Amino acid sequence: MSSAESSWSPGEIPNELITALEECENPLVLTHIYPDGDALGSAIAIHRLLKSSGKNPRTILTHPVPEKLAFIDHDGEAEVLTENPQLNPEDLVDAADLVVVVDTSAPDRLGLMEPAVTSSDVPRICIDHHLEGAYEYFSAIWCEPGSPATGNLIFEVFQRMGIELDRDTAESLFVALATDTGWFRHSNAGFKAYEYAARLVQLGVEADPVYNRIFQSFSHERTLSLGDLLSQSVLSEDGKILHSVFTEEIRSRRGVSMEELDGFVDSLGQVKGAEIVFLVVEIGPMRYKVSLRSHGDFSVHAIATRFGGGGHAKAAGCRLEGTEVEVVSRLLDACRDLLGESATDPATDRA
Ligand code: AMP
Ligand code: MN
Ligand code: MN
């Protein structure tokens, strides 16, 4: 674990960001495409903060949330753009006097909402923890790449604004923090992550049932397809690189949805000595979604950005087009380059 991550503490929240939250009346809360626990938990928590301050917030997701995470939107506040033909991105942005973006600071990660947000004069603010923040895109941004999740930054916003957290909101934020840290196992879980978790538990969150709902509730089909994925995994470069491909053939044969694949890359990466782990998931003809994980000191963010993606040093992602063989070979080349750079650069030699 890098000491930078383990010793992270929150910096100052920009005053303009707090003022914008205080002064808006009709805020529109957005997050990244294919929302995960941190995206949904953070969006729902800021939605509740705004509602309890007398505002009329709307939270719009571009895609549905994985079924197992839906419980953290206790009151069903989030609306899904792709599930409701009545929802129109331009109308939604026009009706807002503030756009609040959480858990991404890259405009293209807003998916179908992005063109409407970009072409509008409505001020936009952002709370995030990714490395590739588009700072100039927002009128106010609080981006803390060392933060374990966005959810705990929302917790800080509650504190700063003097707004009480109820149990449901605490649970949404706990899920945000727990899922982004792999249940407090990843290197982004520094002392602060445990401190936030303790405070959320004090507010009434029960960790055990939350864990069971998210991590012990998979379908048997998912387990069988994970078996296929693991049995086809490949080790290369003296065991330093581990990868596997989840094809559309496996997915349809086993009858699992894309949302159920969450967590596969973590199960794949349980091999001793594997420093770079990547999972390639076929999402369409010649189209692949890639999840990268670093179990050593290498930054897989460098690989993801090489292909137009992003994320964090230890967990990053990108999309690639081509045949399966081409895509895997380009990724392996990029991994080898990273391993090679380290071998020839004494500054990053970890021997
Ligand atoms: P995942 O492997 O999907 O769990 O993603 C790991 C991290 O990489 C998350 O922080 C994502 O936000 C980020 N990420 C994944 N895919 C992309 C992408 N195509 N572009 C930018 N960031 C991504
Ligand atoms: Mn996220
Ligand atoms: Mn996050």
Side-chain angles (χ1 to χ4, degrees):
M1 170 195 295
S2 83
S3 58
E5 274 177 331
S6 58
S7 62
W8 174 85
S9 285
E12 282 288 301
I13 307 175
N15 289 331
E16 317 85 75
L17 190 134
I18 299 296
T19 308
L21 289 170
E22 282 169 350
E23 292 184 351
C24 68
E25 283 176 14
N26 300 304
L28 176 65
V29 179
L30 302 176
T31 186
H32 61 76
I33 53 172
Y34 302 107
D36 52 19
D38 191 26
L40 180 65
S42 298
I44 291 303
I46 200 91
H47 183 110
R48 294 214 193 94
L49 174 144
L50 291 159
K51 203 165 175 178
S52 69
S53 323
K55 325 287 186 192
N56 305 304
R58 284 187 85 168
T59 292
I60 302 292
L61 309 174
T62 53
H63 301 82
V65 289
E67 190 52 40
K68 61 181 182 175
L69 292 174
F71 73 99
I72 62 171
D73 183 5
H74 301 81
D75 302 321
E77 304 279 16
E79 301 166 78
V80 181
L81 191 66
T82 43
E83 280 183 344
N84 184 351
Q86 312 279 29
L87 295 175
N88 171 279
E90 278 75 27
D91 295 346
L92 288 161
V93 176
D94 279 352
D97 58 0
L98 180 70
V99 173
V100 183
V101 175
V102 295
D103 200 37
T104 182
S105 38
D108 63 336
R109 300 276 289 157
L110 296 175
L112 289 171
M113 291 301 298
E114 189 264 328
V117 174
T118 302
S119 60
S120 162
D121 292 335
V122 175
R124 38 196 188 237
I125 63 171
C126 176
I127 305 169
D128 183 37
H129 69 136
H130 287 90
L131 284 167
E132 57 282 333
Y135 288 73
E136 66 297 338
Y137 187 77
F138 299 97
S139 48
I141 176 167
W142 188 34
C143 187
E144 295 266 352
S147 176
T150 299
N152 57 279
L153 301 178
I154 308 291
F155 180 92
E156 293 289 344
V157 173
F158 270 84
Q159 302 284 114
R160 165 81 176 267
M161 293 177 74
I163 298 174
E164 228 173 90
L165 268 152
D166 57 34
R167 198 210 69 94
D168 282 355
T169 310
E171 187 171 74
S172 306
L173 291 181
F174 185 88
V175 169
L177 182 63
T179 52
D180 256 27
T181 56
W183 210 265
F184 309 98
R185 286 174 301 132
H186 299 330
S187 63
N188 58 348
F191 79 97
K192 270 282 167 191
Y194 292 95
E195 214 175 86
Y196 288 116
R199 292 168 79 178
L200 295 167
V201 168
Q202 251 171 350
L203 287 166
V205 176
E206 290 179 64
D208 176 42
V210 168
Y211 184 85
N212 288 338
R213 283 182 97 142
I214 302 176
F215 296 104
Q216 312 264 60
S217 58
F218 301 125
S219 65
H220 188 223
E221 290 76 16
R222 180 194 187 271
T223 296
L224 293 173
S225 65
L226 175 61
D228 294 337
L229 171 87
L230 298 180
S231 66
Q232 289 168 25
S233 61
V234 179
L235 263 186
S236 46
E237 296 298 301
D238 290 332
K240 290 200 180 75
I241 307 173
L242 177 67
H243 81 271
S244 194
V245 181
F246 194 81
T247 59
E248 186 53 34
E249 189 278 318
I250 304 178
R251 202 177 73 78
S252 53
R253 177 164 47 82
R254 294 298 188 188
V256 290
S257 68
M258 289 304 266
E259 285 133 41
E260 287 182 276
L261 312 188
D262 190 43
F264 272 15
V265 68
D266 299 313
S267 305
L268 172 66
Q270 292 176 324
V271 177
K272 188 176 176 186
E275 304 215 19
I276 303 176
V277 178
F278 68 85
L279 171 62
V280 177
V281 177
E282 186 178 4
I283 53 171
M286 308 274 275
R287 290 175 55 230
Y288 297 86
K289 175 186 184 300
V290 183
S291 284
L292 293 139
R293 298 291 184 267
S294 166
H295 293 169
D297 291 345
F298 299 104
S299 168
V300 286
H301 186 257
I303 299 175
T305 52
R306 184 160 149 176
F307 300 114
H312 311 278
K314 301 286 171 71
C318 59
R319 281 166 188 243
L320 281 170
E321 292 186 5
T323 64
E324 181 187 318
V325 171
E326 280 164 6
V327 164
V328 168
S329 135
R330 287 169 73 192
L331 285 161
L332 284 173
D333 282 349
C335 293
R336 283 193 206 101
D337 285 354
L338 197 62
L339 293 171
E341 274 165 30
S342 141
T344 52
D345 177 2
T348 53
D349 189 351
R350 296 165 307 113

